[in-house]
Amino acid sequence: MFTGITQAIGRIAAIEEGEASRRVAIDFPDGFCAGLVQGCSVSVNGACLTVAAPPRGDRAEFDLILPTLVTSTLASCRVGDEVNAERALRDGAEIGGHALSGHVDYQATVEQRKEYGDNLCLRLSVPAGALRYLFAKGYAALDGVSLTIADIDKQAGWIEVWLIPETRRATSLGAKRPGSRLNLEIERDTQVLVDTMREALEDKLAALM
């Protein structure tokens, strides 16, 4: 489990292509890999990845299997790209964002970026399937960053999120431009509630027909 609070910005150091898979090596800031061992989980741009080999210094390697490549933006990452990283949540740790599984549901695309002093508003188009789970003042994770949805237009198919100066400093989101694609994870409790209510209503309607 993760919280959506980015702990470090890593950089893709190497990519090794495999058959329907790829292995990526990521360089992290000093200290990020302390205590990290093979088999540990790390959120990389919102995707839960497993450390594939013993880390060497501040570099760790991860295998991307086909479902991850299909669902997330990691299929298009290149050497030199920056990624948001978060270690798995420890018992008793403060949850500053919201509970995340690290399972990417959709991809969102930046439509607009508007600067207001030191703050930044991003408008993103999201797939129709995600809209039923997104609400103004609700939560979403973009590239692993827990954010509040400031505004939404379900008919037009977009959401807006605001980045405060600290979010711009601590994550890679401030560098996103129109056309950039981001990994989107919807809030699980909302998904369960919406799907349960939808199924219950469909069952009742079916019984009346």
Side-chain angles (χ1 to χ4, degrees):
M1 180 180 291
F2 306 93
T3 69
I5 303 299
T6 298
Q7 297 170 332
I9 296 178
R11 189 176 296 276
I12 304 293
I15 298 174
E16 180 183 345
E17 300 291 350
E19 185 175 350
S21 68
R22 60 170 24 184
R23 175 169 288 199
V24 296
I26 302 177
D27 287 337
F28 296 102
D30 291 344
F32 182 85
C33 291
L36 194 69
V37 299
Q38 185 174 355
C40 283
S41 296
V42 177
S43 171
V44 176
N45 273 0
C48 179
L49 302 181
T50 301
V51 178
R56 291 171 292 176
D58 293 313
R59 177 174 294 189
E61 297 182 351
F62 306 87
D63 288 324
L64 309 180
I65 57 175
L66 186 58
T68 303
L69 295 173
V70 170
T71 306
S72 77
T73 62
L74 294 177
S76 59
C77 67
R78 298 179 179 180
V79 171
D81 285 353
E82 291 186 336
V83 292
N84 299 318
E86 180 188 354
R87 298 274 298 267
L89 182 65
R90 295 175 180 271
D91 287 341
E94 178 181 353
I95 300 178
H98 70 283
L100 299 175
S101 65
H103 298 157
V104 176
D105 297 297
Y106 302 95
Q107 293 183 26
T109 303
V110 176
E111 287 187 352
Q112 299 176 13
R113 57 175 285 138
K114 296 176 284 186
E115 305 241 10
Y116 298 89
D118 292 333
N119 299 311
L120 173 65
C121 178
L122 294 179
R123 176 176 291 185
L124 305 106
S125 62
V126 297
L131 290 171
R132 69 181 64 171
Y133 307 115
L134 302 176
F135 303 90
K137 311 307 178 186
Y139 294 111
L142 292 167
D143 271 2
V145 182
S146 173
L147 295 169
T148 300
I149 299 170
D151 198 4
I152 183 170
D153 187 326
K154 294 196 176 187
Q155 290 188 330
W158 57 257
I159 62 172
E160 285 185 345
V161 296
W162 284 71
L163 309 181
I164 61 174
E166 174 61 16
T167 304
R168 299 181 70 174
R169 181 199 67 81
T171 76
S172 64
L173 295 184
K176 301 304 180 182
R177 296 291 186 272
S180 297
R181 292 183 297 116
L182 286 73
N183 294 322
L184 170 64
E185 180 180 337
I186 57 179
E187 204 272 320
R188 287 287 169 255
D189 289 342
T190 300
Q191 180 187 25
V192 170
L193 178 61
V194 170
D195 286 349
T196 300
M197 294 296 294
R198 186 183 182 89
E199 291 174 3
L201 289 173
E202 288 177 347
D203 289 343
K204 288 185 177 181
L205 289 174
L208 294 174
M209 297 178 65

